Amino acid sequence: MASLEEIREEALSRIRSAEGLDALNDIRVEVLGKKGALTALMKNLKDMAPEERPKFGQMVNEVRQTIENALEAAKKAGAAKAQELRLKAEVIDVTLPAKLQKMGHRHPNTLALEELERIFIGMGYEVVEGPEIEYDLYNFEKLNIPANHPAKDEQDTFYINKEIVLRTQTSPVQARIMEQGKLPIRMIAPGRVFRSDEVDATHSPSFHQIEGLVVDEHITFSDLKGTLELFAKELFGADTKVKFRPHHFPFTEPSAEMDVSCFKCGGKGCRFCKGEGWIEILGCGMVHPHVFEMCGIDPDRYTGFAFGVGLERISLLKYEIDDMRLLYENDDRFLKQF
Ligand code: DAH
């Protein structure tokens, strides 16, 4: 059987090299526990001479106390060490560069639309919206586009059924607003339109237009020209010149297309304007009296002008993007540039 001295030395040496709380606990059980070495030694007491017993008992207790103290000290030291390690592991390096948050980004179409809305709101226009799924009645009939008109061709219209279509233009919003009968009207109506077109650099089955409509007494073609010229100068720069070419739209009479002088070359002709010096920008005209009648407005008392701008066309021009498909691909390396 191990001597008291041996037990103490071995226990202390094990405590010194013990790693972790579990190891210390094992030592406590093995040395001081019920089946431990020290307890076993105490069992010798009964074989000793009575006068030796108190002294031996006292010595055992002293050793027990020494080992308990050592265990306690080791436990405290271990806890302090663990705490120190944890603090080291959890340290925050405030000098590290921050992780960049990925922020959303406004789409070139949105930027162009906001610019356009700013211009027209500045001239007292209201921004309104109409449905993307529209009655044939509004998309065609009330705009003077009768049943056999080529604009209704199945090839460029998505039909839901005979009476309902995905709107092919924002012009139906004109009819809807006029029908409400609140005059005068000064509105723009931006929104998505749909045509059964193949995707290429300048076409998409879904794109956006901004419709404009002014109705009041004494509105003339000069108002149309003045308004749209101001719009062009605001959007493309003060030096921009405009030109109106006669055109045909069923819902306006007379009708025109407006070109702006190329803001790249100033009108001399360059790659950007394909040598023309001019860039086509929108369709416009004086509201057709028959359209007024169909929408419940007296054409003898009221006149008005309307226009329609392709939003993609504006953003492609303004941000010098050469392929419309880029606008729909959602590649943020592209979108981040604007
Ligand atoms: N809706 C026509 C289109 O999609 C554009 C247009 C032309 C709108 C002349 C108008 C307008 O309001 O007066 O081609």
Side-chain angles (χ1 to χ4, degrees):
M1 176 168 301
S3 74
L4 199 51
E5 184 74 2
E6 278 166 356
I7 290 173
R8 190 183 67 188
E9 284 318 306
E10 200 202 319
L12 291 180
S13 125
R14 280 181 66 191
I15 291 169
R16 273 195 297 275
S17 55
E19 269 177 44
L21 270 183
D22 287 349
L24 289 172
N25 252 340
D26 290 349
I27 298 169
R28 178 187 300 278
V29 172
E30 281 165 35
V31 181
L32 309 178
K34 266 195 199 132
K35 292 180 185 160
L38 212 57
T39 319
L41 213 56
M42 281 295 264
K43 286 180 185 147
N44 293 345
L45 219 58
K46 61 179 188 313
D47 303 328
M48 287 185 180
E51 62 277 14
E52 282 179 12
R53 286 180 194 171
K55 181 135 193 340
F56 185 72
Q58 195 189 342
M59 277 161 60
V60 171
N61 275 338
E62 271 170 24
V63 169
R64 171 182 288 276
Q65 196 58 52
T66 308
I67 293 172
E68 259 171 12
N69 289 348
L71 279 168
E72 204 47 43
K75 219 165 107 181
K76 275 195 188 139
K81 182 107 190 269
Q83 164 90 338
E84 191 185 323
L85 284 177
R86 197 166 55 242
L87 285 178
K88 246 187 209 153
E90 286 175 1
V91 96
I92 295 169
D93 182 352
V94 292
T95 66
L96 270 181
K99 274 194 196 138
L100 274 187
Q101 277 278 9
K102 260 201 171 178
M103 290 276 277
H105 190 279
R106 296 225 286 301
H107 191 276
N109 271 355
T110 308
L111 292 170
L113 176 59
E114 285 176 354
E115 174 71 0
L116 209 134
E117 286 181 344
R118 184 189 66 74
I119 296 169
F120 280 101
I121 288 170
M123 293 195 274
Y125 285 60
E126 198 181 338
V127 181
V128 301
E129 276 181 9
E132 292 173 2
I133 301 170
E134 184 56 285
Y135 289 107
D136 174 283
L137 179 72
Y138 287 106
N139 195 80
F140 296 123
E141 292 290 326
K142 286 194 182 242
L143 297 171
N144 229 4
I145 303 169
N148 52 1
H149 197 283
K152 298 184 69 170
D153 200 320
E154 281 175 43
Q155 279 165 21
D156 33 67
T157 304
F158 290 113
Y159 286 89
I160 304 284
N161 58 35
K162 268 188 121 118
E163 277 140 49
I164 299 175
V165 298
L166 298 187
R167 67 176 176 191
T168 62
Q169 48 187 353
T170 45
S171 305
V173 187
Q174 287 190 35
R176 284 180 171 273
I177 296 293
M178 284 193 275
E179 264 190 1
Q180 290 175 2
K182 273 187 255 149
L183 293 163
I185 295 167
R186 236 185 275 149
M187 65 103 183
I188 56 170
R192 195 185 284 272
V193 300
F194 306 86
R195 287 185 201 174
S196 178
D197 277 335
E198 293 292 330
V199 173
D200 66 23
T202 53
H203 290 87
S204 159
S206 158
F207 56 105
H208 301 79
Q209 291 184 332
I210 300 113
E211 196 73 15
L213 175 69
V214 172
V215 181
D216 202 349
E217 294 177 341
H218 314 302
I219 298 290
T220 68
F221 200 86
S222 317
D223 296 314
L224 177 156
K225 284 180 77 177
T227 303
L228 294 180
E229 180 173 2
L230 188 68
F231 160 64
K233 284 184 192 297
E234 282 280 322
L235 193 63
F236 294 115
D239 296 335
T240 308
K241 290 192 262 313
V242 297
K243 173 170 95 171
F244 291 85
R245 282 179 289 102
H247 201 79
H248 172 262
F249 297 104
F251 40 90
T252 46
E253 182 59 35
S255 304
E257 275 188 336
M258 185 176 89
D259 297 346
V260 296
S261 56
C262 177
F263 48 86
K264 266 266 150 170
C265 64
K268 288 196 285 288
C270 66
R271 212 173 60 92
F272 201 69
C273 57
K274 303 195 177 70
E276 297 284 328
W278 295 95
I279 300 168
E280 181 200 319
I281 222 73
L282 56 78
C284 56
M286 301 304 291
V287 181
H288 198 295
H290 191 221
V291 172
F292 273 146
E293 272 165 6
M294 285 187 283
C295 297
I297 292 178
D298 179 1
D300 292 328
R301 180 166 170 206
Y302 289 98
T303 49
F305 68 83
F307 54 91
V309 192
L311 179 59
E312 278 78 0
R313 184 152 180 76
I314 301 290
S315 44
L316 294 186
L317 284 171
K318 210 168 156 52
Y319 303 111
E320 299 185 24
I321 302 163
D322 58 8
D323 192 324
M324 190 166 170
R325 284 167 287 202
L326 289 165
L327 293 177
Y328 306 119
E329 279 167 359
N330 265 348
D331 185 336
D332 70 346
R333 290 168 304 177
F334 165 76
L335 293 172
K336 274 195 304 217
Q337 298 174 53
F338 307 97

PDB file of all heavy atoms in Angstrom, residues 177-202:
ATOM      1  N   ILE A 177     -58.838  58.259 -68.372  1.00  0.00           N
ATOM      2  CA  ILE A 177     -58.834  59.518 -67.614  1.00  0.00           C
ATOM      3  C   ILE A 177     -59.883  60.486 -68.189  1.00  0.00           C
ATOM      4  O   ILE A 177     -60.619  61.133 -67.438  1.00  0.00           O
ATOM      5  CB  ILE A 177     -57.425  60.162 -67.643  1.00  0.00           C
ATOM      6  CG1 ILE A 177     -56.418  59.260 -66.928  1.00  0.00           C
ATOM      7  CG2 ILE A 177     -57.448  61.557 -67.022  1.00  0.00           C
ATOM      8  CD1 ILE A 177     -56.627  59.119 -65.433  1.00  0.00           C
ATOM      9  N   MET A 178     -59.973  60.543 -69.536  1.00  0.00           N
ATOM     10  CA  MET A 178     -60.955  61.445 -70.139  1.00  0.00           C
ATOM     11  C   MET A 178     -62.365  61.053 -69.712  1.00  0.00           C
ATOM     12  O   MET A 178     -63.196  61.905 -69.424  1.00  0.00           O
ATOM     13  CB  MET A 178     -60.822  61.442 -71.664  1.00  0.00           C
ATOM     14  CG  MET A 178     -59.616  62.246 -72.135  1.00  0.00           C
ATOM     15  SD  MET A 178     -59.617  62.576 -73.901  1.00  0.00           S
ATOM     16  CE  MET A 178     -58.889  61.096 -74.561  1.00  0.00           C
ATOM     17  N   GLU A 179     -62.630  59.746 -69.673  1.00  0.00           N
ATOM     18  CA  GLU A 179     -63.955  59.252 -69.291  1.00  0.00           C
ATOM     19  C   GLU A 179     -64.379  59.694 -67.893  1.00  0.00           C
ATOM     20  O   GLU A 179     -65.562  59.835 -67.621  1.00  0.00           O
ATOM     21  CB  GLU A 179     -63.951  57.721 -69.312  1.00  0.00           C
ATOM     22  CG  GLU A 179     -64.476  57.162 -70.589  1.00  0.00           C
ATOM     23  CD  GLU A 179     -64.676  55.672 -70.477  1.00  0.00           C
ATOM     24  OE1 GLU A 179     -64.425  55.082 -69.397  1.00  0.00           O
ATOM     25  OE2 GLU A 179     -65.094  55.092 -71.482  1.00  0.00           O
ATOM     26  N   GLN A 180     -63.380  59.886 -67.009  1.00  0.00           N
ATOM     27  CA  GLN A 180     -63.721  60.324 -65.643  1.00  0.00           C
ATOM     28  C   GLN A 180     -64.345  61.716 -65.661  1.00  0.00           C
ATOM     29  O   GLN A 180     -65.005  62.122 -64.694  1.00  0.00           O
ATOM     30  CB  GLN A 180     -62.472  60.317 -64.753  1.00  0.00           C
ATOM     31  CG  GLN A 180     -61.977  58.914 -64.456  1.00  0.00           C
ATOM     32  CD  GLN A 180     -60.656  58.904 -63.677  1.00  0.00           C
ATOM     33  OE1 GLN A 180     -60.129  59.958 -63.328  1.00  0.00           O
ATOM     34  NE2 GLN A 180     -60.127  57.725 -63.433  1.00  0.00           N
ATOM     35  N   GLY A 181     -64.085  62.468 -66.747  1.00  0.00           N
ATOM     36  CA  GLY A 181     -64.785  63.734 -66.958  1.00  0.00           C
ATOM     37  C   GLY A 181     -64.290  64.913 -66.138  1.00  0.00           C
ATOM     38  O   GLY A 181     -64.954  65.947 -66.100  1.00  0.00           O
ATOM     39  N   LYS A 182     -63.159  64.751 -65.453  1.00  0.00           N
ATOM     40  CA  LYS A 182     -62.632  65.884 -64.671  1.00  0.00           C
ATOM     41  C   LYS A 182     -61.702  66.692 -65.556  1.00  0.00           C
ATOM     42  O   LYS A 182     -60.624  66.234 -65.929  1.00  0.00           O
ATOM     43  CB  LYS A 182     -61.882  65.374 -63.432  1.00  0.00           C
ATOM     44  CG  LYS A 182     -62.807  65.159 -62.251  1.00  0.00           C
ATOM     45  CD  LYS A 182     -62.017  64.819 -60.991  1.00  0.00           C
ATOM     46  CE  LYS A 182     -62.127  63.336 -60.669  1.00  0.00           C
ATOM     47  NZ  LYS A 182     -61.014  62.720 -60.010  1.00  0.00           N
ATOM     48  N   LEU A 183     -62.128  67.910 -65.874  1.00  0.00           N
ATOM     49  CA  LEU A 183     -61.352  68.755 -66.786  1.00  0.00           C
ATOM     50  C   LEU A 183     -60.918  70.027 -66.056  1.00  0.00           C
ATOM     51  O   LEU A 183     -61.615  70.463 -65.155  1.00  0.00           O
ATOM     52  CB  LEU A 183     -62.199  69.103 -68.013  1.00  0.00           C
ATOM     53  CG  LEU A 183     -62.525  67.897 -68.904  1.00  0.00           C
ATOM     54  CD1 LEU A 183     -63.681  68.206 -69.833  1.00  0.00           C
ATOM     55  CD2 LEU A 183     -61.304  67.477 -69.691  1.00  0.00           C
ATOM     56  N   PRO A 184     -59.830  70.669 -66.427  1.00  0.00           N
ATOM     57  CA  PRO A 184     -58.890  70.246 -67.461  1.00  0.00           C
ATOM     58  C   PRO A 184     -58.036  69.044 -67.019  1.00  0.00           C
ATOM     59  O   PRO A 184     -58.018  68.685 -65.849  1.00  0.00           O
ATOM     60  CB  PRO A 184     -58.013  71.497 -67.632  1.00  0.00           C
ATOM     61  CG  PRO A 184     -58.050  72.183 -66.305  1.00  0.00           C
ATOM     62  CD  PRO A 184     -59.419  71.922 -65.754  1.00  0.00           C
ATOM     63  N   ILE A 185     -57.324  68.451 -67.992  1.00  0.00           N
ATOM     64  CA  ILE A 185     -56.455  67.312 -67.726  1.00  0.00           C
ATOM     65  C   ILE A 185     -55.018  67.692 -68.087  1.00  0.00           C
ATOM     66  O   ILE A 185     -54.774  68.294 -69.137  1.00  0.00           O
ATOM     67  CB  ILE A 185     -56.873  66.084 -68.580  1.00  0.00           C
ATOM     68  CG1 ILE A 185     -58.272  65.591 -68.186  1.00  0.00           C
ATOM     69  CG2 ILE A 185     -55.844  64.961 -68.456  1.00  0.00           C
ATOM     70  CD1 ILE A 185     -58.873  64.614 -69.185  1.00  0.00           C
ATOM     71  N   ARG A 186     -54.124  67.362 -67.203  1.00  0.00           N
ATOM     72  CA  ARG A 186     -52.695  67.478 -67.507  1.00  0.00           C
ATOM     73  C   ARG A 186     -52.028  66.288 -66.828  1.00  0.00           C
ATOM     74  O   ARG A 186     -51.799  66.312 -65.625  1.00  0.00           O
ATOM     75  CB  ARG A 186     -52.142  68.785 -66.930  1.00  0.00           C
ATOM     76  CG  ARG A 186     -51.463  69.652 -67.983  1.00  0.00           C
ATOM     77  CD  ARG A 186     -50.834  70.860 -67.362  1.00  0.00           C
ATOM     78  NE  ARG A 186     -51.777  71.944 -67.203  1.00  0.00           N
ATOM     79  CZ  ARG A 186     -51.723  72.851 -66.223  1.00  0.00           C
ATOM     80  NH1 ARG A 186     -50.793  72.756 -65.300  1.00  0.00           N
ATOM     81  NH2 ARG A 186     -52.589  73.831 -66.162  1.00  0.00           N
ATOM     82  N   MET A 187     -51.777  65.236 -67.571  1.00  0.00           N
ATOM     83  CA  MET A 187     -51.296  64.015 -66.924  1.00  0.00           C
ATOM     84  C   MET A 187     -50.216  63.315 -67.733  1.00  0.00           C
ATOM     85  O   MET A 187     -50.129  63.458 -68.945  1.00  0.00           O
ATOM     86  CB  MET A 187     -52.481  63.048 -66.711  1.00  0.00           C
ATOM     87  CG  MET A 187     -53.110  62.518 -67.995  1.00  0.00           C
ATOM     88  SD  MET A 187     -52.565  60.820 -68.288  1.00  0.00           S
ATOM     89  CE  MET A 187     -53.269  60.349 -69.819  1.00  0.00           C
ATOM     90  N   ILE A 188     -49.387  62.580 -67.018  1.00  0.00           N
ATOM     91  CA  ILE A 188     -48.549  61.584 -67.691  1.00  0.00           C
ATOM     92  C   ILE A 188     -48.865  60.223 -67.063  1.00  0.00           C
ATOM     93  O   ILE A 188     -49.234  60.140 -65.889  1.00  0.00           O
ATOM     94  CB  ILE A 188     -47.032  61.873 -67.615  1.00  0.00           C
ATOM     95  CG1 ILE A 188     -46.549  62.030 -66.171  1.00  0.00           C
ATOM     96  CG2 ILE A 188     -46.663  63.097 -68.445  1.00  0.00           C
ATOM     97  CD1 ILE A 188     -45.030  62.085 -66.052  1.00  0.00           C
ATOM     98  N   ALA A 189     -48.731  59.186 -67.880  1.00  0.00           N
ATOM     99  CA  ALA A 189     -49.057  57.837 -67.409  1.00  0.00           C
ATOM    100  C   ALA A 189     -47.948  56.881 -67.836  1.00  0.00           C
ATOM    101  O   ALA A 189     -47.925  56.414 -68.969  1.00  0.00           O
ATOM    102  CB  ALA A 189     -50.395  57.383 -67.984  1.00  0.00           C
ATOM    103  N   PRO A 190     -47.001  56.631 -66.933  1.00  0.00           N
ATOM    104  CA  PRO A 190     -45.938  55.684 -67.267  1.00  0.00           C
ATOM    105  C   PRO A 190     -46.397  54.252 -67.026  1.00  0.00           C
ATOM    106  O   PRO A 190     -47.283  54.026 -66.199  1.00  0.00           O
ATOM    107  CB  PRO A 190     -44.816  56.046 -66.282  1.00  0.00           C
ATOM    108  CG  PRO A 190     -45.488  56.721 -65.128  1.00  0.00           C
ATOM    109  CD  PRO A 190     -46.846  57.202 -65.586  1.00  0.00           C
ATOM    110  N   GLY A 191     -45.811  53.302 -67.744  1.00  0.00           N
ATOM    111  CA  GLY A 191     -46.163  51.916 -67.450  1.00  0.00           C
ATOM    112  C   GLY A 191     -45.653  50.919 -68.469  1.00  0.00           C
ATOM    113  O   GLY A 191     -45.124  51.267 -69.515  1.00  0.00           O
ATOM    114  N   ARG A 192     -45.895  49.641 -68.102  1.00  0.00           N
ATOM    115  CA  ARG A 192     -45.408  48.536 -68.905  1.00  0.00           C
ATOM    116  C   ARG A 192     -46.388  48.242 -70.040  1.00  0.00           C
ATOM    117  O   ARG A 192     -47.601  48.314 -69.843  1.00  0.00           O
ATOM    118  CB  ARG A 192     -45.287  47.316 -68.005  1.00  0.00           C
ATOM    119  CG  ARG A 192     -44.486  46.176 -68.563  1.00  0.00           C
ATOM    120  CD  ARG A 192     -44.567  45.006 -67.610  1.00  0.00           C
ATOM    121  NE  ARG A 192     -43.724  45.188 -66.434  1.00  0.00           N
ATOM    122  CZ  ARG A 192     -42.443  44.819 -66.382  1.00  0.00           C
ATOM    123  NH1 ARG A 192     -41.859  44.259 -67.419  1.00  0.00           N
ATOM    124  NH2 ARG A 192     -41.732  45.007 -65.287  1.00  0.00           N
ATOM    125  N   VAL A 193     -45.854  47.949 -71.202  1.00  0.00           N
ATOM    126  CA  VAL A 193     -46.696  47.560 -72.341  1.00  0.00           C
ATOM    127  C   VAL A 193     -46.133  46.275 -72.966  1.00  0.00           C
ATOM    128  O   VAL A 193     -45.000  45.898 -72.682  1.00  0.00           O
ATOM    129  CB  VAL A 193     -46.773  48.686 -73.399  1.00  0.00           C
ATOM    130  CG1 VAL A 193     -47.360  49.957 -72.804  1.00  0.00           C
ATOM    131  CG2 VAL A 193     -45.414  48.954 -74.011  1.00  0.00           C
ATOM    132  N   PHE A 194     -46.947  45.617 -73.775  1.00  0.00           N
ATOM    133  CA  PHE A 194     -46.575  44.287 -74.265  1.00  0.00           C
ATOM    134  C   PHE A 194     -46.852  44.161 -75.762  1.00  0.00           C
ATOM    135  O   PHE A 194     -47.922  44.561 -76.234  1.00  0.00           O
ATOM    136  CB  PHE A 194     -47.381  43.218 -73.524  1.00  0.00           C
ATOM    137  CG  PHE A 194     -47.278  43.318 -72.036  1.00  0.00           C
ATOM    138  CD1 PHE A 194     -48.127  44.168 -71.327  1.00  0.00           C
ATOM    139  CD2 PHE A 194     -46.334  42.592 -71.337  1.00  0.00           C
ATOM    140  CE1 PHE A 194     -48.042  44.276 -69.947  1.00  0.00           C
ATOM    141  CE2 PHE A 194     -46.234  42.683 -69.954  1.00  0.00           C
ATOM    142  CZ  PHE A 194     -47.094  43.531 -69.258  1.00  0.00           C
ATOM    143  N   ARG A 195     -45.901  43.611 -76.473  1.00  0.00           N
ATOM    144  CA  ARG A 195     -46.147  43.286 -77.884  1.00  0.00           C
ATOM    145  C   ARG A 195     -45.460  41.974 -78.229  1.00  0.00           C
ATOM    146  O   ARG A 195     -44.370  41.700 -77.719  1.00  0.00           O
ATOM    147  CB  ARG A 195     -45.601  44.404 -78.784  1.00  0.00           C
ATOM    148  CG  ARG A 195     -46.469  45.645 -78.699  1.00  0.00           C
ATOM    149  CD  ARG A 195     -46.041  46.720 -79.650  1.00  0.00           C
ATOM    150  NE  ARG A 195     -46.569  47.994 -79.165  1.00  0.00           N
ATOM    151  CZ  ARG A 195     -46.304  49.167 -79.689  1.00  0.00           C
ATOM    152  NH1 ARG A 195     -45.501  49.243 -80.743  1.00  0.00           N
ATOM    153  NH2 ARG A 195     -46.822  50.267 -79.187  1.00  0.00           N
ATOM    154  N   SER A 196     -46.087  41.238 -79.077  1.00  0.00           N
ATOM    155  CA  SER A 196     -45.520  39.957 -79.452  1.00  0.00           C
ATOM    156  C   SER A 196     -44.356  40.172 -80.415  1.00  0.00           C
ATOM    157  O   SER A 196     -44.473  39.930 -81.614  1.00  0.00           O
ATOM    158  CB  SER A 196     -46.609  39.089 -80.084  1.00  0.00           C
ATOM    159  OG  SER A 196     -46.061  37.859 -80.487  1.00  0.00           O
ATOM    160  N   ASP A 197     -43.248  40.669 -79.871  1.00  0.00           N
ATOM    161  CA  ASP A 197     -42.048  40.923 -80.667  1.00  0.00           C
ATOM    162  C   ASP A 197     -40.945  39.966 -80.258  1.00  0.00           C
ATOM    163  O   ASP A 197     -40.850  39.576 -79.104  1.00  0.00           O
ATOM    164  CB  ASP A 197     -41.537  42.355 -80.412  1.00  0.00           C
ATOM    165  CG  ASP A 197     -42.277  43.383 -81.251  1.00  0.00           C
ATOM    166  OD1 ASP A 197     -42.806  43.003 -82.307  1.00  0.00           O
ATOM    167  OD2 ASP A 197     -42.324  44.558 -80.831  1.00  0.00           O
ATOM    168  N   GLU A 198     -40.109  39.601 -81.224  1.00  0.00           N
ATOM    169  CA  GLU A 198     -38.930  38.797 -80.905  1.00  0.00           C
ATOM    170  C   GLU A 198     -37.914  39.705 -80.198  1.00  0.00           C
ATOM    171  O   GLU A 198     -37.812  40.885 -80.500  1.00  0.00           O
ATOM    172  CB  GLU A 198     -38.295  38.258 -82.191  1.00  0.00           C
ATOM    173  CG  GLU A 198     -39.139  37.242 -82.923  1.00  0.00           C
ATOM    174  CD  GLU A 198     -39.290  35.919 -82.160  1.00  0.00           C
ATOM    175  OE1 GLU A 198     -38.352  35.569 -81.413  1.00  0.00           O
ATOM    176  OE2 GLU A 198     -40.329  35.272 -82.312  1.00  0.00           O
ATOM    177  N   VAL A 199     -37.162  39.098 -79.261  1.00  0.00           N
ATOM    178  CA  VAL A 199     -36.132  39.867 -78.554  1.00  0.00           C
ATOM    179  C   VAL A 199     -34.944  40.132 -79.475  1.00  0.00           C
ATOM    180  O   VAL A 199     -34.437  39.221 -80.123  1.00  0.00           O
ATOM    181  CB  VAL A 199     -35.646  39.077 -77.310  1.00  0.00           C
ATOM    182  CG1 VAL A 199     -34.459  39.771 -76.657  1.00  0.00           C
ATOM    183  CG2 VAL A 199     -36.781  38.906 -76.314  1.00  0.00           C
ATOM    184  N   ASP A 200     -34.547  41.382 -79.587  1.00  0.00           N
ATOM    185  CA  ASP A 200     -33.252  41.707 -80.212  1.00  0.00           C
ATOM    186  C   ASP A 200     -32.721  42.988 -79.571  1.00  0.00           C
ATOM    187  O   ASP A 200     -33.204  43.401 -78.523  1.00  0.00           O
ATOM    188  CB  ASP A 200     -33.377  41.804 -81.746  1.00  0.00           C
ATOM    189  CG  ASP A 200     -34.250  42.957 -82.213  1.00  0.00           C
ATOM    190  OD1 ASP A 200     -34.421  43.928 -81.451  1.00  0.00           O
ATOM    191  OD2 ASP A 200     -34.752  42.880 -83.347  1.00  0.00           O
ATOM    192  N   ALA A 201     -31.739  43.622 -80.189  1.00  0.00           N
ATOM    193  CA  ALA A 201     -31.078  44.771 -79.545  1.00  0.00           C
ATOM    194  C   ALA A 201     -32.020  45.957 -79.353  1.00  0.00           C
ATOM    195  O   ALA A 201     -31.768  46.826 -78.520  1.00  0.00           O
ATOM    196  CB  ALA A 201     -29.860  45.190 -80.354  1.00  0.00           C
ATOM    197  N   THR A 202     -33.117  45.997 -80.123  1.00  0.00           N
ATOM    198  CA  THR A 202     -34.027  47.137 -80.002  1.00  0.00           C
ATOM    199  C   THR A 202     -35.473  46.731 -79.721  1.00  0.00           C
ATOM    200  O   THR A 202     -36.353  47.576 -79.689  1.00  0.00           O
ATOM    201  CB  THR A 202     -34.014  47.992 -81.293  1.00  0.00           C
ATOM    202  OG1 THR A 202     -34.271  47.118 -82.408  1.00  0.00           O
ATOM    203  CG2 THR A 202     -32.674  48.664 -81.510  1.00  0.00           C
TER     204      THR A 202
END
